Amino acid sequence: MPTKPENANELLDVSTADEEFLNDAIEGLSRKPQKTISPKYLYDKRGSELFDDICELDEYYPTRTEISIMRQYADEMAEAIGTEALLVEYGSGSSMKTGTLLKALKNLTGYVPMDISGEHLEEAAQRIAADFPNLHVYPVCADFTQPFDLPPVEGTVRRRVAYFPGSTIGNFTKAQAADVLKHISDLMGSGGGLLIGVDLEKDPEVLKRAYDDSKGVTANFNLNLLDRMNRELDANFDRSAFEHQARYNHDLSRIEMHLVAEKPQTVRLDDTEISFNTGESIHTENSHKFTEETFAELAGEAGFTLVKVWKDPRAYFSVMYLEVA
Ligand code: AVI
């Protein structure tokens, strides 16, 4: 059995400091005319659990559709990637999709799971290391909206390939997504690849049901952000005075999540007071939907060329493979 490099399975923590949450929350909630908070703050431990519950909902089609695409086409994806690749996963933890891909990949040199949550990451890395005992796993704790370096790895790396499942790219604004894609293309380098889950444009009614489900799980996920600010930032939000809303923005092809104040109120956040009028909202998340063309254009700005696209029969979701020229 090959021996593992010394740094395999060791967590490399390059995440940003916690006080950023307070600064970001005060800055975002002071914005006019639209109060806003970055969607990355939806994912504390409770938020991550609620997101896992969302993925199980009948109305939330993306997860199960992406898994079915991975199961059906993993071999074709592995063929496009080739041998002796270093696979870098953006936002790991989606072990079902990753396992399917790792099984199909031939002679993989190493696997770098990356996540902003150290806890989530260690669990995911341990699971993968147990399922693939011969695989060299190098977990990296990082906020991938910022540039970061890859750990040194042992063996021949013929190509670095980013694996970015879940259509998380859709949660960034177009400008942020272009930046993230540029960081990825810089890190993968010339000849590098990107295998990415991309949610597709569809009937807005299907989208509204997916983002405002009948069991209220997505509402809880959104409202948890208020609880989180109370827990971590010494805030005093009354969650019963806010309502979850999912709105489809036709012009920007995206679902927007908002927390809407149901009555006028003033909330304290550390030493800052934030006032809300009735109907005023905090914009908490965007989920952009693409066509093959709009995504190829966005990724093209970062130096990627679209090589292949796999879709489900309803064309609800896609997995695209792109390469850096
Ligand atoms: C993580 N991300 C891709 C999800 C999405 O569909 O945009 C987050 C989510 N928000 C509400 N439901 C799911």
Side-chain angles (χ1 to χ4, degrees):
M1 207 210 283
T3 52
K4 294 221 169 183
E6 263 180 30
N7 61 338
N9 296 343
E10 250 175 45
L11 184 70
L12 177 68
D13 192 341
V14 289
S15 57
T16 48
D18 281 353
E19 66 263 26
E20 251 193 43
F21 183 22
L22 179 63
N23 296 338
D24 286 355
I26 291 175
E27 189 274 321
L29 292 176
S30 308
R31 278 201 208 167
K32 292 190 175 89
Q34 179 62 66
K35 293 177 167 57
T36 183
I37 295 191
S38 164
K40 71 180 179 188
Y41 294 117
L42 291 165
Y43 298 90
D44 64 341
K45 188 161 188 295
R46 181 73 187 127
S48 299
E49 285 166 3
L50 286 164
F51 178 63
D52 287 346
D53 294 344
I54 288 175
C55 295
E56 302 286 320
L57 293 168
D58 286 344
E59 293 118 315
Y60 191 72
Y61 62 85
T63 312
R64 90 174 57 83
T65 310
E66 185 174 19
I67 290 172
S68 74
I69 298 170
M70 294 306 294
R71 286 199 176 132
Q72 188 166 359
Y73 298 110
D75 288 340
E76 287 185 23
M77 295 173 192
E79 201 173 317
I81 290 169
T83 56
E84 296 183 316
L86 178 70
L87 189 74
V88 183
E89 182 170 357
Y90 282 68
S92 62
S94 41
S95 56
M96 266 225 255
K97 296 167 216 161
T98 314
T100 307
L101 182 63
L102 289 175
K103 266 185 214 141
L105 282 167
K106 304 278 175 299
N107 202 4
L108 189 64
T109 299
Y111 168 61
V112 181
M114 191 216 322
D115 204 284
I116 195 167
S117 149
E119 214 177 319
H120 218 156
L121 178 68
E122 269 184 301
E123 274 171 29
Q126 275 168 16
R127 230 180 8 238
I128 293 289
D131 288 351
F132 298 87
N134 292 329
L135 182 64
H136 295 170
V137 182
Y138 307 86
V140 172
C141 186
D143 174 355
F144 57 69
T145 59
Q146 308 298 323
F148 63 92
D149 287 325
L150 290 176
V153 302
E154 200 173 87
T156 308
V157 175
R158 208 183 44 79
R159 166 180 285 163
R160 290 174 168 185
V161 177
Y163 178 44
F164 196 176
S167 203
T168 304
I169 193 72
N171 296 131
F172 296 105
T173 63
K174 288 283 162 68
Q176 288 166 341
D179 277 354
V180 169
L181 290 167
K182 183 74 175 70
H183 294 329
I184 297 177
S185 79
D186 287 346
L187 198 62
M188 297 308 116
S190 177
L194 167 64
L195 186 68
I196 185 165
V198 180
D199 199 10
L200 300 173
E201 285 185 14
K202 60 185 63 62
D203 180 354
E205 287 311 312
V206 174
L207 291 172
K208 278 195 207 148
R209 283 198 292 276
Y211 289 84
D212 193 3
D213 63 275
S214 51
K215 289 190 180 147
V217 182
T218 313
N220 258 332
F221 171 66
N222 200 6
L223 287 158
N224 174 60
L225 188 55
L226 303 181
D227 296 338
R228 182 179 180 186
M229 287 191 276
N230 290 349
R231 279 193 299 267
E232 295 180 27
L233 304 183
D234 191 24
N236 64 349
F237 282 95
D238 170 8
R239 75 179 258 156
S240 69
F242 285 84
E243 185 199 45
H244 162 72
Q245 261 182 25
R247 305 174 185 164
Y248 189 67
N249 183 327
H250 283 267
D251 293 341
L252 299 173
S253 302
R254 70 189 192 196
I255 274 277
E256 297 180 0
M257 289 208 314
H258 289 258
L259 288 166
V260 185
E262 290 188 306
K263 60 179 187 200
Q265 54 199 288
T266 300
V267 176
R268 181 183 41 77
L269 188 66
D270 199 40
D271 291 335
T272 307
E273 290 205 326
I274 315 274
S275 295
F276 291 85
N277 296 318
T278 305
E280 194 178 354
S281 75
I282 309 173
H283 182 178
T284 52
E285 186 186 63
N286 293 314
S287 193
H288 290 87
K289 308 303 165 191
F290 298 89
T291 62
E292 227 172 281
E293 293 72 28
T294 55
F295 191 77
E297 194 185 326
L298 180 68
E301 287 169 31
F304 283 109
T305 305
L306 186 59
V307 176
K308 187 140 191 178
V309 183
W310 298 271
K311 294 181 197 170
D312 60 294
R314 291 186 299 189
Y316 271 15
F317 200 92
S318 67
V319 178
M320 304 194 190
Y321 183 63
L322 306 100
E323 275 178 9
V324 187

PDB file of all heavy atoms in Angstrom, residues 15 21 28 44-45 53 58 64 84 91 98 116 129 134 154 173 203 211 219 226 238 247 263 268 300 313:
ATOM      1  N   SER A  15      -9.141  30.170   7.171  1.00  0.00           N
ATOM      2  CA  SER A  15     -10.413  30.897   7.159  1.00  0.00           C
ATOM      3  C   SER A  15     -10.241  32.283   7.775  1.00  0.00           C
ATOM      4  O   SER A  15      -9.320  32.520   8.545  1.00  0.00           O
ATOM      5  CB  SER A  15     -11.486  30.119   7.921  1.00  0.00           C
ATOM      6  OG  SER A  15     -11.063  29.872   9.233  1.00  0.00           O
ATOM      7  N   PHE A  21     -18.107  38.864  10.837  1.00  0.00           N
ATOM      8  CA  PHE A  21     -19.568  38.708  10.812  1.00  0.00           C
ATOM      9  C   PHE A  21     -20.230  39.975  11.350  1.00  0.00           C
ATOM     10  O   PHE A  21     -21.150  40.522  10.743  1.00  0.00           O
ATOM     11  CB  PHE A  21     -19.956  37.467  11.629  1.00  0.00           C
ATOM     12  CG  PHE A  21     -21.431  37.135  11.641  1.00  0.00           C
ATOM     13  CD1 PHE A  21     -22.308  37.584  10.649  1.00  0.00           C
ATOM     14  CD2 PHE A  21     -21.957  36.338  12.664  1.00  0.00           C
ATOM     15  CE1 PHE A  21     -23.665  37.258  10.669  1.00  0.00           C
ATOM     16  CE2 PHE A  21     -23.311  36.005  12.695  1.00  0.00           C
ATOM     17  CZ  PHE A  21     -24.165  36.474  11.705  1.00  0.00           C
ATOM     18  N   GLY A  28     -24.078  45.789   6.246  1.00  0.00           N
ATOM     19  CA  GLY A  28     -25.173  45.368   5.364  1.00  0.00           C
ATOM     20  C   GLY A  28     -26.528  45.887   5.822  1.00  0.00           C
ATOM     21  O   GLY A  28     -27.353  46.296   5.004  1.00  0.00           O
ATOM     22  N   ASP A  44     -24.459  28.576   9.731  1.00  0.00           N
ATOM     23  CA  ASP A  44     -23.853  28.121  10.988  1.00  0.00           C
ATOM     24  C   ASP A  44     -24.286  26.660  11.152  1.00  0.00           C
ATOM     25  O   ASP A  44     -24.834  26.061  10.214  1.00  0.00           O
ATOM     26  CB  ASP A  44     -24.293  29.005  12.170  1.00  0.00           C
ATOM     27  CG  ASP A  44     -25.796  28.921  12.426  1.00  0.00           C
ATOM     28  OD1 ASP A  44     -26.548  28.493  11.515  1.00  0.00           O
ATOM     29  OD2 ASP A  44     -26.227  29.278  13.534  1.00  0.00           O
ATOM     30  N   LYS A  45     -24.052  26.055  12.338  1.00  0.00           N
ATOM     31  CA  LYS A  45     -24.359  24.631  12.497  1.00  0.00           C
ATOM     32  C   LYS A  45     -25.852  24.379  12.219  1.00  0.00           C
ATOM     33  O   LYS A  45     -26.215  23.487  11.452  1.00  0.00           O
ATOM     34  CB  LYS A  45     -23.985  24.195  13.916  1.00  0.00           C
ATOM     35  CG  LYS A  45     -24.077  22.728  14.138  1.00  0.00           C
ATOM     36  CD  LYS A  45     -23.272  22.300  15.353  1.00  0.00           C
ATOM     37  CE  LYS A  45     -23.203  20.788  15.482  1.00  0.00           C
ATOM     38  NZ  LYS A  45     -24.507  20.180  15.743  1.00  0.00           N
ATOM     39  N   ASP A  53     -31.864  19.538   5.455  1.00  0.00           N
ATOM     40  CA  ASP A  53     -33.297  19.187   5.413  1.00  0.00           C
ATOM     41  C   ASP A  53     -33.947  19.696   4.123  1.00  0.00           C
ATOM     42  O   ASP A  53     -34.792  19.019   3.539  1.00  0.00           O
ATOM     43  CB  ASP A  53     -34.055  19.787   6.616  1.00  0.00           C
ATOM     44  CG  ASP A  53     -33.603  19.169   7.937  1.00  0.00           C
ATOM     45  OD1 ASP A  53     -32.949  18.106   7.898  1.00  0.00           O
ATOM     46  OD2 ASP A  53     -33.892  19.756   8.995  1.00  0.00           O
ATOM     47  N   ASP A  58     -39.447  17.462  -1.227  1.00  0.00           N
ATOM     48  CA  ASP A  58     -39.961  17.134  -2.563  1.00  0.00           C
ATOM     49  C   ASP A  58     -39.832  18.328  -3.503  1.00  0.00           C
ATOM     50  O   ASP A  58     -39.484  18.191  -4.666  1.00  0.00           O
ATOM     51  CB  ASP A  58     -41.450  16.753  -2.481  1.00  0.00           C
ATOM     52  CG  ASP A  58     -41.620  15.372  -1.882  1.00  0.00           C
ATOM     53  OD1 ASP A  58     -40.614  14.634  -1.832  1.00  0.00           O
ATOM     54  OD2 ASP A  58     -42.740  15.052  -1.454  1.00  0.00           O
ATOM     55  N   ARG A  64     -31.402  16.387  -5.632  1.00  0.00           N
ATOM     56  CA  ARG A  64     -31.622  15.031  -6.170  1.00  0.00           C
ATOM     57  C   ARG A  64     -31.384  14.987  -7.686  1.00  0.00           C
ATOM     58  O   ARG A  64     -30.913  13.989  -8.210  1.00  0.00           O
ATOM     59  CB  ARG A  64     -32.990  14.497  -5.753  1.00  0.00           C
ATOM     60  CG  ARG A  64     -34.156  14.757  -6.621  1.00  0.00           C
ATOM     61  CD  ARG A  64     -35.366  14.006  -6.088  1.00  0.00           C
ATOM     62  NE  ARG A  64     -35.641  14.384  -4.700  1.00  0.00           N
ATOM     63  CZ  ARG A  64     -36.331  15.471  -4.337  1.00  0.00           C
ATOM     64  NH1 ARG A  64     -36.821  16.268  -5.255  1.00  0.00           N
ATOM     65  NH2 ARG A  64     -36.531  15.763  -3.071  1.00  0.00           N
ATOM     66  N   GLU A  84      -4.406  11.025 -13.265  1.00  0.00           N
ATOM     67  CA  GLU A  84      -3.410  11.782 -12.477  1.00  0.00           C
ATOM     68  C   GLU A  84      -3.823  13.234 -12.240  1.00  0.00           C
ATOM     69  O   GLU A  84      -3.028  14.162 -12.362  1.00  0.00           O
ATOM     70  CB  GLU A  84      -2.040  11.740 -13.159  1.00  0.00           C
ATOM     71  CG  GLU A  84      -1.483  10.328 -13.216  1.00  0.00           C
ATOM     72  CD  GLU A  84      -0.093  10.269 -13.832  1.00  0.00           C
ATOM     73  OE1 GLU A  84       0.153  10.936 -14.866  1.00  0.00           O
ATOM     74  OE2 GLU A  84       0.739   9.567 -13.263  1.00  0.00           O
ATOM     75  N   GLY A  91     -16.375  23.771  -1.331  1.00  0.00           N
ATOM     76  CA  GLY A  91     -17.543  23.573  -0.475  1.00  0.00           C
ATOM     77  C   GLY A  91     -17.820  22.095  -0.333  1.00  0.00           C
ATOM     78  O   GLY A  91     -18.800  21.589  -0.856  1.00  0.00           O
ATOM     79  N   THR A  98     -19.661  13.545  -4.366  1.00  0.00           N
ATOM     80  CA  THR A  98     -18.216  13.379  -4.435  1.00  0.00           C
ATOM     81  C   THR A  98     -17.844  11.917  -4.555  1.00  0.00           C
ATOM     82  O   THR A  98     -16.988  11.547  -5.360  1.00  0.00           O
ATOM     83  CB  THR A  98     -17.547  13.947  -3.164  1.00  0.00           C
ATOM     84  OG1 THR A  98     -18.122  15.211  -2.900  1.00  0.00           O
ATOM     85  CG2 THR A  98     -16.061  14.077  -3.332  1.00  0.00           C
ATOM     86  N   ILE A 116     -15.574  26.384   4.297  1.00  0.00           N
ATOM     87  CA  ILE A 116     -15.400  27.487   5.255  1.00  0.00           C
ATOM     88  C   ILE A 116     -15.635  26.994   6.682  1.00  0.00           C
ATOM     89  O   ILE A 116     -15.125  27.566   7.642  1.00  0.00           O
ATOM     90  CB  ILE A 116     -16.350  28.659   4.908  1.00  0.00           C
ATOM     91  CG1 ILE A 116     -15.950  29.930   5.628  1.00  0.00           C
ATOM     92  CG2 ILE A 116     -17.801  28.300   5.148  1.00  0.00           C
ATOM     93  CD1 ILE A 116     -16.634  31.171   5.120  1.00  0.00           C
ATOM     94  N   ALA A 129     -11.806   9.704   3.534  1.00  0.00           N
ATOM     95  CA  ALA A 129     -10.578   8.925   3.783  1.00  0.00           C
ATOM     96  C   ALA A 129     -10.941   7.482   4.164  1.00  0.00           C
ATOM     97  O   ALA A 129     -10.242   6.536   3.794  1.00  0.00           O
ATOM     98  CB  ALA A 129      -9.744   9.596   4.865  1.00  0.00           C
ATOM     99  N   ASN A 134      -6.938   4.439  -0.027  1.00  0.00           N
ATOM    100  CA  ASN A 134      -5.688   4.684  -0.763  1.00  0.00           C
ATOM    101  C   ASN A 134      -5.575   6.095  -1.314  1.00  0.00           C
ATOM    102  O   ASN A 134      -4.568   6.446  -1.933  1.00  0.00           O
ATOM    103  CB  ASN A 134      -5.552   3.699  -1.928  1.00  0.00           C
ATOM    104  CG  ASN A 134      -5.349   2.293  -1.413  1.00  0.00           C
ATOM    105  OD1 ASN A 134      -4.772   2.101  -0.344  1.00  0.00           O
ATOM    106  ND2 ASN A 134      -5.865   1.319  -2.146  1.00  0.00           N
ATOM    107  N   GLU A 154       1.857  14.966  -2.924  1.00  0.00           N
ATOM    108  CA  GLU A 154       2.855  13.990  -3.392  1.00  0.00           C
ATOM    109  C   GLU A 154       2.375  13.330  -4.683  1.00  0.00           C
ATOM    110  O   GLU A 154       1.191  13.025  -4.808  1.00  0.00           O
ATOM    111  CB  GLU A 154       3.013  12.925  -2.312  1.00  0.00           C
ATOM    112  CG  GLU A 154       4.290  12.155  -2.415  1.00  0.00           C
ATOM    113  CD  GLU A 154       4.430  11.251  -1.208  1.00  0.00           C
ATOM    114  OE1 GLU A 154       3.905  10.127  -1.266  1.00  0.00           O
ATOM    115  OE2 GLU A 154       5.048  11.688  -0.224  1.00  0.00           O
ATOM    116  N   THR A 173     -23.315  37.271  -6.614  1.00  0.00           N
ATOM    117  CA  THR A 173     -23.718  38.226  -7.657  1.00  0.00           C
ATOM    118  C   THR A 173     -22.874  37.897  -8.893  1.00  0.00           C
ATOM    119  O   THR A 173     -21.845  37.202  -8.782  1.00  0.00           O
ATOM    120  CB  THR A 173     -23.417  39.679  -7.239  1.00  0.00           C
ATOM    121  OG1 THR A 173     -21.996  39.800  -7.093  1.00  0.00           O
ATOM    122  CG2 THR A 173     -24.123  40.066  -5.945  1.00  0.00           C
ATOM    123  N   ASP A 203     -39.545  27.395 -15.214  1.00  0.00           N
ATOM    124  CA  ASP A 203     -40.799  28.041 -14.811  1.00  0.00           C
ATOM    125  C   ASP A 203     -40.646  28.648 -13.402  1.00  0.00           C
ATOM    126  O   ASP A 203     -40.353  27.923 -12.436  1.00  0.00           O
ATOM    127  CB  ASP A 203     -41.890  26.953 -14.816  1.00  0.00           C
ATOM    128  CG  ASP A 203     -43.248  27.491 -14.405  1.00  0.00           C
ATOM    129  OD1 ASP A 203     -43.349  28.667 -14.006  1.00  0.00           O
ATOM    130  OD2 ASP A 203     -44.221  26.698 -14.474  1.00  0.00           O
ATOM    131  N   TYR A 211     -38.190  27.309  -3.211  1.00  0.00           N
ATOM    132  CA  TYR A 211     -37.558  28.237  -2.262  1.00  0.00           C
ATOM    133  C   TYR A 211     -38.541  28.782  -1.220  1.00  0.00           C
ATOM    134  O   TYR A 211     -38.180  29.637  -0.413  1.00  0.00           O
ATOM    135  CB  TYR A 211     -36.862  29.382  -3.029  1.00  0.00           C
ATOM    136  CG  TYR A 211     -35.626  28.869  -3.745  1.00  0.00           C
ATOM    137  CD1 TYR A 211     -35.722  28.264  -4.993  1.00  0.00           C
ATOM    138  CD2 TYR A 211     -34.377  28.919  -3.141  1.00  0.00           C
ATOM    139  CE1 TYR A 211     -34.611  27.743  -5.639  1.00  0.00           C
ATOM    140  CE2 TYR A 211     -33.252  28.415  -3.766  1.00  0.00           C
ATOM    141  CZ  TYR A 211     -33.379  27.817  -5.016  1.00  0.00           C
ATOM    142  OH  TYR A 211     -32.267  27.301  -5.633  1.00  0.00           O
ATOM    143  N   ALA A 219     -38.173  28.646   5.145  1.00  0.00           N
ATOM    144  CA  ALA A 219     -38.464  29.820   5.990  1.00  0.00           C
ATOM    145  C   ALA A 219     -37.624  29.757   7.262  1.00  0.00           C
ATOM    146  O   ALA A 219     -37.014  30.749   7.685  1.00  0.00           O
ATOM    147  CB  ALA A 219     -39.954  29.857   6.320  1.00  0.00           C
ATOM    148  N   LEU A 226     -31.530  35.425  11.815  1.00  0.00           N
ATOM    149  CA  LEU A 226     -31.847  36.358  12.902  1.00  0.00           C
ATOM    150  C   LEU A 226     -31.452  35.739  14.251  1.00  0.00           C
ATOM    151  O   LEU A 226     -30.836  36.403  15.099  1.00  0.00           O
ATOM    152  CB  LEU A 226     -33.346  36.695  12.901  1.00  0.00           C
ATOM    153  CG  LEU A 226     -33.911  37.282  11.604  1.00  0.00           C
ATOM    154  CD1 LEU A 226     -35.398  37.577  11.763  1.00  0.00           C
ATOM    155  CD2 LEU A 226     -33.154  38.551  11.194  1.00  0.00           C
ATOM    156  N   ASP A 238     -36.593  39.885  16.956  1.00  0.00           N
ATOM    157  CA  ASP A 238     -37.763  39.078  17.293  1.00  0.00           C
ATOM    158  C   ASP A 238     -38.165  38.353  16.003  1.00  0.00           C
ATOM    159  O   ASP A 238     -38.729  38.962  15.100  1.00  0.00           O
ATOM    160  CB  ASP A 238     -38.880  40.013  17.777  1.00  0.00           C
ATOM    161  CG  ASP A 238     -40.209  39.294  17.926  1.00  0.00           C
ATOM    162  OD1 ASP A 238     -40.240  38.046  17.797  1.00  0.00           O
ATOM    163  OD2 ASP A 238     -41.223  39.988  18.150  1.00  0.00           O
ATOM    164  N   ARG A 247     -38.735  35.608  -3.862  1.00  0.00           N
ATOM    165  CA  ARG A 247     -39.237  36.399  -5.004  1.00  0.00           C
ATOM    166  C   ARG A 247     -38.427  36.057  -6.249  1.00  0.00           C
ATOM    167  O   ARG A 247     -37.198  35.986  -6.157  1.00  0.00           O
ATOM    168  CB  ARG A 247     -39.010  37.901  -4.756  1.00  0.00           C
ATOM    169  CG  ARG A 247     -39.597  38.401  -3.472  1.00  0.00           C
ATOM    170  CD  ARG A 247     -39.187  39.873  -3.272  1.00  0.00           C
ATOM    171  NE  ARG A 247     -39.658  40.352  -1.975  1.00  0.00           N
ATOM    172  CZ  ARG A 247     -39.220  41.459  -1.388  1.00  0.00           C
ATOM    173  NH1 ARG A 247     -38.298  42.211  -1.978  1.00  0.00           N
ATOM    174  NH2 ARG A 247     -39.702  41.825  -0.209  1.00  0.00           N
ATOM    175  N   LYS A 263     -43.793  44.614  11.060  1.00  0.00           N
ATOM    176  CA  LYS A 263     -44.227  45.815  11.777  1.00  0.00           C
ATOM    177  C   LYS A 263     -43.006  46.717  11.951  1.00  0.00           C
ATOM    178  O   LYS A 263     -41.863  46.241  11.822  1.00  0.00           O
ATOM    179  CB  LYS A 263     -44.834  45.440  13.129  1.00  0.00           C
ATOM    180  CG  LYS A 263     -43.878  44.713  14.051  1.00  0.00           C
ATOM    181  CD  LYS A 263     -44.524  44.384  15.374  1.00  0.00           C
ATOM    182  CE  LYS A 263     -43.486  43.820  16.331  1.00  0.00           C
ATOM    183  NZ  LYS A 263     -43.966  43.059  17.430  1.00  0.00           N
ATOM    184  N   ARG A 268     -31.364  46.112  18.153  1.00  0.00           N
ATOM    185  CA  ARG A 268     -29.997  46.439  18.573  1.00  0.00           C
ATOM    186  C   ARG A 268     -29.051  45.340  18.084  1.00  0.00           C
ATOM    187  O   ARG A 268     -29.370  44.142  18.170  1.00  0.00           O
ATOM    188  CB  ARG A 268     -29.955  46.537  20.103  1.00  0.00           C
ATOM    189  CG  ARG A 268     -28.588  46.899  20.676  1.00  0.00           C
ATOM    190  CD  ARG A 268     -28.615  46.913  22.183  1.00  0.00           C
ATOM    191  NE  ARG A 268     -29.382  45.811  22.775  1.00  0.00           N
ATOM    192  CZ  ARG A 268     -28.943  44.567  22.864  1.00  0.00           C
ATOM    193  NH1 ARG A 268     -27.755  44.231  22.409  1.00  0.00           N
ATOM    194  NH2 ARG A 268     -29.705  43.625  23.415  1.00  0.00           N
ATOM    195  N   GLY A 300     -16.419  32.283 -19.394  1.00  0.00           N
ATOM    196  CA  GLY A 300     -15.492  32.703 -20.452  1.00  0.00           C
ATOM    197  C   GLY A 300     -14.696  33.930 -20.038  1.00  0.00           C
ATOM    198  O   GLY A 300     -13.509  34.051 -20.356  1.00  0.00           O
ATOM    199  N   PRO A 313     -33.369  14.792 -17.845  1.00  0.00           N
ATOM    200  CA  PRO A 313     -34.324  14.826 -18.972  1.00  0.00           C
ATOM    201  C   PRO A 313     -35.200  16.083 -18.995  1.00  0.00           C
ATOM    202  O   PRO A 313     -35.591  16.545 -20.065  1.00  0.00           O
ATOM    203  CB  PRO A 313     -35.178  13.567 -18.756  1.00  0.00           C
ATOM    204  CG  PRO A 313     -34.331  12.661 -17.931  1.00  0.00           C
ATOM    205  CD  PRO A 313     -33.462  13.528 -17.078  1.00  0.00           C
TER     206      PRO A 313
END
